[in-house]
Coordinates of all heavy atoms in Angstrom, one line a residue:
M170 N -20.4 3.4 45.6 CA -19.1 3.1 46.1 C -18.0 4.1 45.4 O -18.1 4.3 44.2 CB -18.7 1.6 45.7 CG -17.4 1.3 46.4 SD -17.2 -0.5 46.3 CE -15.4 -0.5 46.8
I171 N -17.2 4.6 46.2 CA -16.1 5.5 45.7 C -15.2 4.8 44.9 O -14.5 3.8 45.4 CB -15.5 6.2 46.9 CG1 -16.6 7.1 47.6 CG2 -14.3 7.0 46.5 CD1 -16.1 7.7 49.0
P172 N -14.8 5.4 43.7 CA -13.8 4.7 43.0 C -12.5 5.1 43.4 O -12.0 6.2 43.4 CB -14.0 5.3 41.4 CG -14.8 6.6 41.7 CD -15.6 6.4 43.0
F173 N -11.8 4.1 44.1 CA -10.5 4.3 44.7 C -9.5 4.9 43.7 O -8.6 5.7 44.1 CB -10.0 3.0 45.4 CG -8.8 3.3 46.2 CD1 -8.9 3.9 47.4 CD2 -7.6 2.6 45.9 CE1 -7.7 4.1 48.2 CE2 -6.4 2.8 46.7 CZ -6.6 3.6 47.9
S174 N -9.6 4.5 42.5 CA -8.6 5.0 41.4 C -8.7 6.5 41.2 O -7.8 7.1 40.8 CB -8.9 4.3 40.2 OG -10.3 4.6 39.8
N175 N -9.8 7.1 41.6 CA -9.9 8.6 41.6 C -9.6 9.4 42.8 O -9.9 10.5 42.9 CB -11.4 8.9 41.1 CG -11.7 8.6 39.6 OD1 -11.0 7.6 39.1 ND2 -12.6 9.2 39.1
T176 N -9.0 8.7 43.8 CA -8.7 9.4 45.0 C -7.2 9.5 45.1 O -6.4 8.9 44.5 CB -9.2 8.6 46.2 OG1 -8.5 7.3 46.3 CG2 -10.6 8.3 46.2
W177 N -6.9 10.5 46.0 CA -5.4 10.8 46.3 C -5.3 11.3 47.7 O -6.1 12.1 48.0 CB -4.9 11.8 45.2 CG -3.4 11.7 45.1 CD1 -2.5 12.6 45.6 CD2 -2.6 10.7 44.5 NE1 -1.3 12.2 45.3 CE2 -1.2 11.1 44.7 CE3 -3.0 9.4 43.9 CZ2 -0.2 10.2 44.2 CZ3 -1.9 8.7 43.5 CH2 -0.6 9.1 43.6
P178 N -4.3 10.9 48.4 CA -4.1 11.3 49.8 C -3.6 12.7 49.8 O -2.8 13.1 49.0 CB -3.2 10.3 50.4 CG -2.4 9.8 49.2 CD -3.3 9.8 48.1
Y179 N -4.0 13.5 50.8 CA -3.4 14.8 51.1 C -3.0 15.0 52.5 O -3.4 14.2 53.4 CB -4.4 15.9 50.7 CG -5.7 15.9 51.7 CD1 -5.7 16.7 52.8 CD2 -6.8 15.2 51.4 CE1 -6.8 16.7 53.6 CE2 -7.9 15.2 52.3 CZ -7.8 16.0 53.3 OH -8.9 16.0 54.2
D180 N -2.3 16.0 52.8 CA -1.9 16.4 54.2 C -2.2 17.8 54.3 O -2.0 18.6 53.4 CB -0.4 16.1 54.4 CG 0.0 14.7 54.4 OD1 -0.7 14.0 55.1 OD2 0.9 14.3 53.6
I181 N -2.5 18.2 55.6 CA -2.7 19.6 56.0 C -1.5 19.9 57.0 O -1.4 19.2 58.0 CB -4.0 19.9 56.6 CG1 -5.1 19.7 55.6 CG2 -4.1 21.4 57.1 CD1 -6.5 20.0 56.0
I182 N -0.7 20.9 56.6 CA 0.4 21.3 57.3 C 0.3 22.8 57.5 O 0.4 23.6 56.6 CB 1.8 20.9 56.8 CG1 1.8 19.4 56.5 CG2 2.9 21.3 57.6 CD1 3.0 18.9 55.7
A183 N 0.2 23.1 58.8 CA 0.0 24.6 59.1 C -0.9 25.4 58.2 O -0.6 26.5 57.8 CB 1.5 25.2 59.1
G184 N -2.0 24.8 58.1 CA -3.2 25.4 57.3 C -3.0 25.3 55.8 O -3.8 25.9 55.2
D185 N -2.0 24.7 55.3 CA -1.8 24.5 53.9 C -2.1 23.1 53.5 O -1.8 22.2 54.2 CB -0.5 25.0 53.4 CG -0.3 26.4 53.5 OD1 -1.2 27.1 53.1 OD2 0.7 26.8 54.0
M186 N -2.6 22.9 52.3 CA -2.8 21.5 51.8 C -1.6 21.0 50.9 O -1.2 21.8 50.0 CB -4.0 21.4 50.9 CG -5.3 21.4 51.8 SD -6.7 21.1 50.8 CE -6.5 19.5 50.1
Y187 N -1.2 19.9 51.1 CA 0.0 19.3 50.4 C -0.4 18.0 49.9 O -1.3 17.3 50.5 CB 1.2 19.1 51.2 CG 2.0 20.5 51.6 CD1 1.5 21.1 52.7 CD2 3.0 20.9 50.9 CE1 2.2 22.3 53.2 CE2 3.6 22.1 51.3 CZ 3.2 22.9 52.4 OH 3.8 24.0 52.8
V188 N 0.3 17.5 48.8 CA 0.3 16.1 48.4 C 1.8 15.6 48.5 O 2.7 16.4 48.2 CB -0.3 15.7 47.1 CG1 -1.8 15.9 47.1 CG2 0.3 16.7 46.0
Q189 N 2.0 14.4 49.1 CA 3.3 13.9 49.2 C 4.0 13.7 47.8 O 5.2 13.8 47.6 CB 3.3 12.5 49.9 CG 3.1 12.8 51.4 CD 3.4 11.5 52.2 OE1 3.7 10.5 51.7 NE2 3.3 11.7 53.6
S190 N 3.2 13.4 46.8 CA 3.6 13.4 45.4 C 2.4 13.6 44.4 O 1.3 13.3 44.8 CB 4.3 12.1 45.1 OG 3.4 11.1 45.0
C191 N 2.8 14.3 43.4 CA 1.7 14.7 42.4 C 1.3 13.4 41.7 O 2.2 12.7 41.2 CB 2.3 15.7 41.5 SG 1.0 16.1 40.2
P192 N 0.0 13.2 41.6 CA -0.4 11.9 40.9 C -0.2 12.0 39.4 O -0.2 11.0 38.7 CB -1.8 11.8 41.2 CG -2.3 13.2 41.5 CD -1.1 13.9 42.2
L193 N 0.1 13.2 38.8 CA 0.2 13.3 37.4 C 1.5 13.6 36.9 O 1.9 13.3 35.8 CB -0.9 14.5 37.0 CG -2.2 14.3 37.4 CD1 -3.0 15.5 37.4 CD2 -2.9 13.1 36.5
C194 N 2.4 14.1 37.8 CA 3.8 14.2 37.3 C 4.9 13.7 38.3 O 6.1 13.8 38.0 CB 4.1 15.7 36.9 SG 4.3 16.8 38.4
S195 N 4.3 13.2 39.4 CA 5.3 12.5 40.4 C 6.1 13.4 41.1 O 7.1 13.0 41.9 CB 6.0 11.4 39.8 OG 5.3 10.5 39.2
R196 N 5.9 14.7 41.0 CA 6.8 15.6 41.8 C 6.5 15.5 43.3 O 5.4 15.4 43.7 CB 6.5 17.1 41.4 CG 7.3 18.1 42.1 CD 7.5 19.3 41.3 NE 8.1 20.4 42.1 CZ 8.5 21.5 41.7 NH1 8.4 21.8 40.4 NH2 9.0 22.4 42.5
D197 N 7.5 15.6 44.1 CA 7.4 15.5 45.6 C 6.9 16.8 46.3 O 7.3 17.8 45.9 CB 8.7 15.1 46.2 CG 9.1 13.7 45.7 OD1 8.2 12.8 45.5 OD2 10.3 13.3 45.8
N198 N 6.2 16.6 47.4 CA 5.7 17.6 48.2 C 5.2 18.9 47.5 O 5.8 19.9 47.5 CB 6.9 18.1 49.1 CG 7.2 16.9 50.1 OD1 6.3 16.4 50.7 ND2 8.5 16.8 50.3
V199 N 4.0 18.7 46.9 CA 3.4 19.8 46.1 C 2.4 20.5 47.1 O 1.5 19.9 47.6 CB 2.7 19.2 44.9 CG1 2.0 20.4 44.1 CG2 3.8 18.5 44.0
L200 N 2.6 21.8 47.1 CA 1.7 22.7 47.9 C 0.5 23.0 46.9 O 0.6 23.5 45.8 CB 2.3 24.0 48.2 CG 1.4 25.1 48.8 CD1 0.8 24.7 50.1 CD2 2.2 26.4 49.0
L201 N -0.7 22.6 47.3 CA -1.9 22.7 46.5 C -2.5 24.1 46.7 O -2.6 24.8 47.7 CB -3.0 21.7 46.9 CG -2.6 20.3 46.7 CD1 -3.7 19.3 47.2 CD2 -2.2 19.9 45.4
P202 N -3.0 24.7 45.5 CA -3.8 26.0 45.6 C -5.3 25.7 46.1 O -6.2 26.1 45.5 CB -3.7 26.5 44.2 CG -3.7 25.2 43.4 CD -3.0 24.2 44.2
M203 N -5.3 25.2 47.4 CA -6.6 24.9 48.0 C -6.5 25.0 49.5 O -5.4 24.7 50.0 CB -7.0 23.5 47.5 CG -8.4 23.1 47.9 SD -8.9 21.5 47.0 CE -10.3 21.2 47.9
K204 N -7.5 25.5 50.1 CA -7.3 25.7 51.5 C -8.2 24.6 52.3 O -9.2 24.2 51.7 CB -7.9 27.1 51.9 CG -6.9 28.3 51.4 CD -5.6 28.1 52.3 CE -4.6 29.1 51.7 NZ -3.2 28.9 52.3
P205 N -7.8 24.3 53.4 CA -8.6 23.3 54.1 C -10.1 23.6 54.3 O -10.9 22.8 54.3 CB -8.0 23.4 55.6 CG -6.6 23.7 55.3 CD -6.6 24.7 54.1
K206 N -10.5 25.0 54.3 CA -11.9 25.3 54.4 C -12.6 24.9 53.1 O -13.8 24.7 53.1 CB -12.1 26.8 54.7 CG -11.6 27.7 53.7 CD -11.9 29.2 54.1 CE -11.4 30.1 53.0 NZ -11.5 31.5 53.3
E207 N -11.9 24.9 52.0 CA -12.5 24.4 50.8 C -12.8 22.9 50.8 O -13.8 22.5 50.0 CB -11.7 24.8 49.5 CG -11.5 26.3 49.3 CD -10.6 26.6 48.2 OE1 -9.4 26.6 48.3 OE2 -11.1 27.0 47.2
L208 N -12.2 22.2 51.6 CA -12.6 20.8 51.7 C -13.9 20.6 52.3 O -14.7 19.7 51.9 CB -11.5 20.1 52.7 CG -10.3 19.8 52.1 CD1 -9.3 19.3 53.2 CD2 -10.3 18.7 51.0
I209 N -14.3 21.6 53.2 CA -15.6 21.6 53.8 C -16.7 21.9 52.7 O -17.6 21.2 52.6 CB -15.7 22.6 54.9 CG1 -14.7 22.1 56.0 CG2 -17.1 22.7 55.6 CD1 -14.4 23.2 57.1
S210 N -16.4 22.9 51.9 CA -17.5 23.2 50.9 C -17.6 22.1 49.8 O -18.6 21.8 49.4 CB -17.1 24.6 50.2 OG -15.9 24.5 49.7
V211 N -16.4 21.4 49.6 CA -16.4 20.3 48.7 C -17.3 19.1 49.4 O -18.2 18.6 48.6 CB -15.0 19.6 48.5 CG1 -15.0 18.2 47.9 CG2 -14.3 20.6 47.4
R212 N -17.2 19.0 50.6 CA -18.0 18.0 51.3 C -19.5 18.3 51.2 O -20.4 17.5 51.3 CB -17.6 17.8 52.7 CG -16.6 16.7 52.9 CD -16.0 16.6 54.4 NE -14.5 16.7 54.2 CZ -13.7 16.9 55.2 NH1 -14.2 17.1 56.4 NH2 -12.5 16.9 55.0
E213 N -19.7 19.6 51.2 CA -21.2 20.1 51.1 C -21.7 20.1 49.7 O -22.9 20.5 49.4 CB -21.2 21.5 51.7 CG -21.0 21.5 53.3 CD -20.9 22.8 53.9 OE1 -20.6 23.8 53.1 OE2 -20.9 22.9 55.1
G214 N -20.9 19.6 48.7 CA -21.3 19.5 47.3 C -20.9 20.5 46.4 O -21.3 20.4 45.2
K215 N -20.0 21.4 46.8 CA -19.4 22.3 45.9 C -18.2 21.9 45.2 O -17.2 21.6 45.9 CB -19.2 23.7 46.6 CG -18.8 24.8 45.6 CD -18.7 26.1 46.5 CE -18.3 27.3 45.5 NZ -17.7 28.3 46.3
K216 N -18.2 21.7 43.9 CA -16.9 21.1 43.2 C -15.9 22.3 43.2 O -16.1 23.5 43.1 CB -17.3 20.8 41.8 CG -18.3 19.6 41.8 CD -18.8 19.3 40.3 CE -19.8 18.2 40.3 NZ -20.5 18.1 39.2
K217 N -14.7 21.8 43.2 CA -13.5 22.7 43.2 C -12.5 22.2 42.1 O -12.1 21.1 42.1 CB -12.8 22.5 44.6 CG -11.4 23.1 44.7 CD -11.3 24.5 44.7 CE -9.8 25.0 44.7 NZ -9.7 26.5 44.6
L218 N -12.3 23.2 41.3 CA -11.3 23.0 40.2 C -9.9 23.1 40.8 O -9.6 24.2 41.4 CB -11.5 23.9 39.0 CG -10.5 23.8 37.8 CD1 -10.6 22.6 37.2 CD2 -10.6 25.0 36.9
L219 N -9.1 22.1 40.7 CA -7.8 22.1 41.3 C -6.7 22.1 40.2 O -6.7 21.1 39.4 CB -7.6 21.0 42.3 CG -6.3 20.7 42.9 CD1 -5.9 21.9 43.8 CD2 -6.4 19.5 43.7
I220 N -5.8 23.0 40.2 CA -4.8 23.0 39.1 C -3.5 22.8 39.8 O -3.2 23.5 40.7 CB -4.8 24.4 38.4 CG1 -6.1 24.6 37.8 CG2 -3.6 24.3 37.2 CD1 -6.2 26.0 37.1
F221 N -2.9 21.7 39.5 CA -1.6 21.4 40.2 C -0.5 22.4 39.7 O -0.3 22.5 38.6 CB -1.1 20.0 39.8 CG -1.9 18.9 40.6 CD1 -3.0 18.3 40.1 CD2 -1.5 18.5 41.9 CE1 -3.8 17.3 40.7 CE2 -2.2 17.6 42.5 CZ -3.3 17.0 42.1
P222 N 0.2 23.1 40.7 CA 1.1 24.1 40.2 C 2.4 23.5 39.6 O 3.1 24.2 38.9 CB 1.5 24.7 41.6 CG 1.1 23.7 42.6 CD 0.0 22.9 42.1
C223 N 2.7 22.2 39.8 CA 3.8 21.6 39.3 C 3.7 21.3 37.8 O 4.7 21.5 37.0 CB 4.1 20.3 40.0 SG 2.6 19.4 40.4
C224 N 2.5 20.9 37.3 CA 2.4 20.4 35.9 C 1.3 21.1 35.2 O 1.0 20.8 34.1 CB 2.3 19.0 35.9 SG 1.1 18.2 36.9
H225 N 0.5 21.9 36.0 CA -0.7 22.7 35.5 C -1.8 21.7 34.9 O -2.6 22.0 34.2 CB -0.3 23.6 34.3 CG 0.7 24.6 34.8 ND1 0.3 25.6 35.6 CD2 2.1 24.7 34.6 CE1 1.4 26.3 35.9 NE2 2.5 25.8 35.3
N226 N -1.8 20.5 35.5 CA -2.9 19.6 35.1 C -4.1 19.9 35.9 O -3.9 20.4 37.1 CB -2.5 18.0 35.4 CG -1.7 17.4 34.2 OD1 -2.3 17.4 33.1 ND2 -0.5 17.1 34.4
K227 N -5.3 19.7 35.4 CA -6.6 20.1 36.2 C -7.3 19.0 36.6 O -7.5 18.0 35.7 CB -7.4 21.0 35.3 CG -6.7 22.3 34.9 CD -7.6 23.1 33.9 CE -6.9 24.3 33.4 NZ -7.4 24.9 32.1
V228 N -7.8 19.0 37.7 CA -8.8 17.9 38.2 C -9.9 18.7 38.9 O -9.7 19.8 39.4 CB -8.1 16.8 39.1 CG1 -6.9 16.1 38.5 CG2 -7.7 17.5 40.5
T229 N -11.1 18.1 38.9 CA -12.1 18.6 39.7 C -12.3 17.8 41.0 O -12.4 16.6 40.9 CB -13.4 18.6 38.9 OG1 -13.2 19.4 37.7 CG2 -14.6 19.2 39.7
V230 N -12.1 18.4 42.2 CA -12.4 17.8 43.5 C -13.9 17.6 43.6 O -14.6 18.7 43.7 CB -11.7 18.5 44.5 CG1 -11.8 17.7 45.9 CG2 -10.2 18.7 44.2
L231 N -14.3 16.4 43.8 CA -15.8 16.1 44.0 C -16.2 15.9 45.4 O -17.3 16.1 45.8 CB -16.1 14.9 43.2 CG -15.8 15.0 41.6 CD1 -16.2 13.7 41.0 CD2 -16.6 16.1 40.9
D232 N -15.2 15.3 46.2 CA -15.5 15.1 47.6 C -14.2 14.9 48.3 O -13.1 14.8 47.7 CB -16.4 13.8 47.6 CG -17.2 13.7 48.9 OD1 -17.1 14.5 49.8 OD2 -18.0 12.7 49.0
S233 N -14.4 14.7 49.6 CA -13.1 14.5 50.4 C -13.5 13.9 51.7 O -14.6 13.8 52.1 CB -12.4 15.9 50.7 OG -13.2 16.7 51.6
D234 N -12.4 13.2 52.3 CA -12.6 12.8 53.7 C -11.5 13.2 54.4 O -10.7 14.1 53.9 CB -12.9 11.2 53.8 CG -11.7 10.4 53.4 OD1 -10.5 10.9 53.3 OD2 -11.9 9.2 53.2
A235 N -11.1 12.7 55.6 CA -10.0 13.2 56.4 C -8.7 13.0 55.8 O -7.7 13.6 56.2 CB -10.1 12.6 57.8
D236 N -8.6 12.0 54.8 CA -7.3 11.7 54.3 C -7.2 11.8 52.7 O -6.1 12.0 52.3 CB -7.0 10.3 54.6 CG -6.9 9.9 56.1 OD1 -6.2 10.6 56.8 OD2 -7.7 9.1 56.6
Y237 N -8.3 11.7 52.1 CA -8.3 11.6 50.6 C -9.2 12.7 50.0 O -10.2 13.1 50.6 CB -8.8 10.2 50.1 CG -7.9 9.1 50.5 CD1 -8.0 8.4 51.7 CD2 -6.9 8.7 49.5 CE1 -7.1 7.4 52.0 CE2 -6.0 7.6 49.8 CZ -6.2 7.0 51.1 OH -5.3 6.0 51.3
I238 N -8.8 13.1 48.8 CA -9.7 13.9 47.9 C -10.2 12.9 46.9 O -9.5 11.9 46.4 CB -9.1 15.1 47.3 CG1 -7.7 14.7 46.7 CG2 -8.8 16.3 48.3 CD1 -7.1 15.9 45.8
L239 N -11.4 13.1 46.4 CA -12.0 12.3 45.3 C -12.1 13.3 44.1 O -12.6 14.4 44.2 CB -13.4 11.9 45.7 CG -14.2 11.2 44.6 CD1 -13.6 9.8 44.2 CD2 -15.7 10.9 45.0
T240 N -11.7 12.9 43.0 CA -11.7 13.8 41.8 C -12.3 13.0 40.6 O -12.8 11.9 40.7 CB -10.2 14.1 41.4 OG1 -9.7 13.0 40.7 CG2 -9.3 14.5 42.5
D241 N -12.6 13.8 39.6 CA -13.2 13.4 38.4 C -12.3 12.6 37.5 O -12.6 12.2 36.3 CB -13.9 14.6 37.6 CG -12.8 15.5 37.1 OD1 -11.6 15.6 37.6 OD2 -13.1 16.2 36.2
R242 N -11.0 12.4 37.9 CA -10.0 11.9 37.0 C -9.2 10.7 37.6 O -9.1 10.6 38.9 CB -8.9 12.9 36.8 CG -8.0 12.7 35.7 CD -7.4 14.0 35.3 NE -6.1 13.8 34.5 CZ -5.5 14.7 33.9 NH1 -5.8 15.9 33.9 NH2 -4.4 14.3 33.2
K243 N -9.0 9.6 36.8 CA -8.4 8.5 37.2 C -6.9 8.9 37.6 O -6.2 9.4 36.8 CB -8.4 7.4 36.2 CG -8.1 6.1 36.6 CD -8.3 5.0 35.5 CE -7.8 3.6 36.0 NZ -9.1 2.9 36.4
L244 N -6.5 8.6 38.9 CA -5.2 9.1 39.3 C -4.2 8.0 39.6 O -3.1 8.2 39.8 CB -5.4 10.0 40.5 CG -6.2 11.2 40.4 CD1 -6.4 11.9 41.9 CD2 -5.6 12.2 39.5
R245 N -4.8 6.7 39.6 CA -3.8 5.6 39.7 C -4.3 4.5 39.0 O -5.4 4.4 38.5 CB -3.8 5.3 41.2 CG -5.0 5.2 42.0 CD -4.9 4.8 43.4 NE -5.3 5.7 44.3 CZ -4.8 6.0 45.5 NH1 -3.8 5.3 45.9 NH2 -5.3 6.9 46.4
Ligands
ZN320 ZN1 2.2 17.7 38.9

């Protein structure tokens, strides 16, 4: 079962990935240094190191679905 505490919702707008707020510093509307095509490779099992540009916190993205990313870190 997926640990919901390690998930965070994302949005794709015009080919860019955003989060409505950063789970680690609460900044609004953060553009992620990750492309939608990388979500596909994550789903295929390739882990992605994601560094939030707002606070430089690092998480590893382990999986994703249409709305959420799953990371190695407790986000809520
Ligand atoms: Zn942040």
Side-chain angles (χ1 to χ4, degrees):
M170 186 168 167
I171 291 171
F173 188 67
S174 57
N175 287 30
T176 65
W177 200 250
Y179 68 87
D180 292 307
I181 294 175
I182 301 168
D185 289 319
M186 280 184 66
Y187 289 85
V188 287
Q189 286 193 356
S190 68
C191 175
L193 301 163
C194 74
S195 301
R196 181 157 170 167
D197 290 334
N198 291 320
V199 177
L200 173 63
L201 298 180
M203 185 170 173
K204 291 294 175 189
K206 69 179 180 187
E207 291 181 285
L208 286 171
I209 297 166
S210 57
V211 160
R212 264 171 238 169
E213 290 170 346
K215 190 178 173 194
K216 292 173 187 166
K217 161 75 181 172
L218 179 66
L219 175 63
I220 302 170
F221 285 92
C223 40
C224 53
H225 302 285
N226 278 300
K227 295 174 189 163
V228 302
T229 301
V230 183
L231 304 175
D232 203 355
S233 68
D234 67 12
D236 301 303
Y237 291 88
I238 52 173
L239 172 69
T240 79
D241 64 337
R242 194 161 163 171
K243 197 175 177 97
L244 300 175
R245 46 177 122 214

